Amino acid sequence: MYRSHNCGELRTTHNNTEVTLAGWVQGVRDKGFMVYVDVRDRYGITQLYFDEDQTSKDLMEQAQRLGREFVIQVKGKVQERASKNPNIPTGDIEVLVSELTVLNSSIVPPFTIEDQTDGGDDLRMKYRYLDIRRNPVKGNLIFRHKVAQAVRNYLSNNGFIEVETPYLIKSTPEGARDFVVPSRMNEGQFYALPQSPQTFKQLLMVGGMDKYFQIVKCFRDEDLRADRQPEFTQIDCEMAFVEQEDILNTFEGLTRHLLKEINGVDVEKFPRLLYDDAMRLYGNDKPDIRFGMEFGELNAVAQHKDFNVFNSAELVVGIAVPGGNSYTRKDIDKLIDWVKRPQVGALGMVYCRCNDDGSYKSSVDKFYNQDDLAKWAEVTGAKAGDLICVLSGETSKVRAQLSALRMELAERLGLRNPDEFAPLWVMDFPLLEWDEETERYHAMHHPFTSPKPGQLELLDTKPCEVKANAYDLVLNGNEIGGGSIRIHDKATQAIMLKHLGFSDEEARAQFGFLMDAFEYGAPPHGGIAFGLDRLVAILGGQETIRDFIAFPKNNSGRDVMIDAPAPIDKEQLEELNLKLNLKS
């Protein structure tokens, strides 16, 4: 037996107990006549004590030769410490060592294994197995486990069955590029890794598994951003014989359960916001409603004067920044420079100070009088002491720009409290969106999303006006889940695929298996998928999903620890009947 106790459980109640511990050396403090060694495992740290009056010379010398991250086993007796350490749970005791075994030595690690380390991101990614020994990373992985366990408990207790679906599937168009896997046994043919188990969970509904879930890996070969991974984890769920309200109620319950179980927070309200209203009031479809600063559209009160910048704009829109009148001119100039950055793309910003005496001072006083500016304040909800920030231009672009500014201001003002949780349903998305590059419609969610009841006929006449029977769950400005009521009959699915540009032959080749299944009594069904990585990060009060993934990839999609992706040798290529044609 390598250990009788772990390094985090010994207390004064264990005094005079003979114990065996095993772990890594956190540090050695050699006082000459006595040696202190901190030994660590994932449960905590215990201080070991070597005393020349009670310890043999050989054992003292062995202790003095220990280095950081050596793996050791010790046997000894628990005793109360003379100088206690209130900062650790085991700080009242130490172990007087009688026997020491070095199980494995260690070279000097490339960074210190401490909560506050001297290792940068790239170095810690390369030696991720060492980084996991640090409390912050270890704690995040344990936290992720607790969230996943709570999810499984809730869904299992509500009649859901966990079913595994295949990883080697057929490539189907679902938005992003597939990762493909060549088949040695089927020359010239390829599997794809699933972007989601979408069609399989629908087939499970056809199969009568009326409440399914799976915590599943998904894969998308898309351009990466700072907080996106090529492989990610979904809490994938589907239910049969349900309408939208059934889905919303069930997964509001899951979210409440997680917030209570994991964070000790009771959340009752799950407001519902139409997609069109989300775009109008916040400029995006995943608004953070922990704070205000709703958009005020100013066309009616700003386009009647001689200011051509506004007169020529499709949309003039502003927000009221609480307490923003305290900003200096230098502060405001920095905000203007911020919105003009390429990442945001605004050409400039107009502002208006709301003075404490009820007067207004704007950067366009030449064109607007006090009555005009008072109307700006009324539309944006600005009060005395606030600052109104106004952008103008093409509707979709200016909404995105003002949304970015709103979030940046909230960050600067400390309005995004990670301990506060504000869930929100966004509903009734457009069913289709036009892609200028391909000059065709694409499904905003996926091709299996049902239109709102009674709107199917509009696909022929006004396709842009058709709303999807779809819903996203937003938490603190992040989409944590999204789903829809699905199409469950062959005729409707064929109409949908036709409007997405599929010929009958293409639809048959891509989705014939699903459409065939619909002819065998497919029940009405719908579902939702949560992004586990994002959900865990938000519940953990952090923004970065990478911190909660055991072995993440960098922003280029590389695993720098194992150096993947990597070339394969000529023999493997020949066995797979593949030939490389790399561009120089």
Side-chain angles (χ1 to χ4, degrees), residues 37 125 161 173 283 344 371 385 398 427 431 486 495 523 556:
V37 177
M125 287 273 282
I161 303 299
V344 180
D371 289 340
V398 77
M427 306 166 65
L431 182 67
R486 323 301 187 187
I495 292 170
S556 300

Side-chain angles (χ1 to χ4, degrees), residues 418-436:
D419 296 323
E420 180 184 353
F421 297 95
L424 167 75
W425 287 107
V426 178
M427 306 166 65
D428 292 6
F429 288 79
L431 182 67
L432 306 175
E433 56 184 346
W434 180 257
D435 187 300
E436 295 288 348

Side-chain angles (χ1 to χ4, degrees), residues 350-363:
V350 170
Y351 66 90
C352 175
R353 294 181 179 277
C354 302
N355 297 320
D356 292 337
D357 62 4
S359 65
Y360 302 94
K361 177 65 178 174
S362 81
S363 56

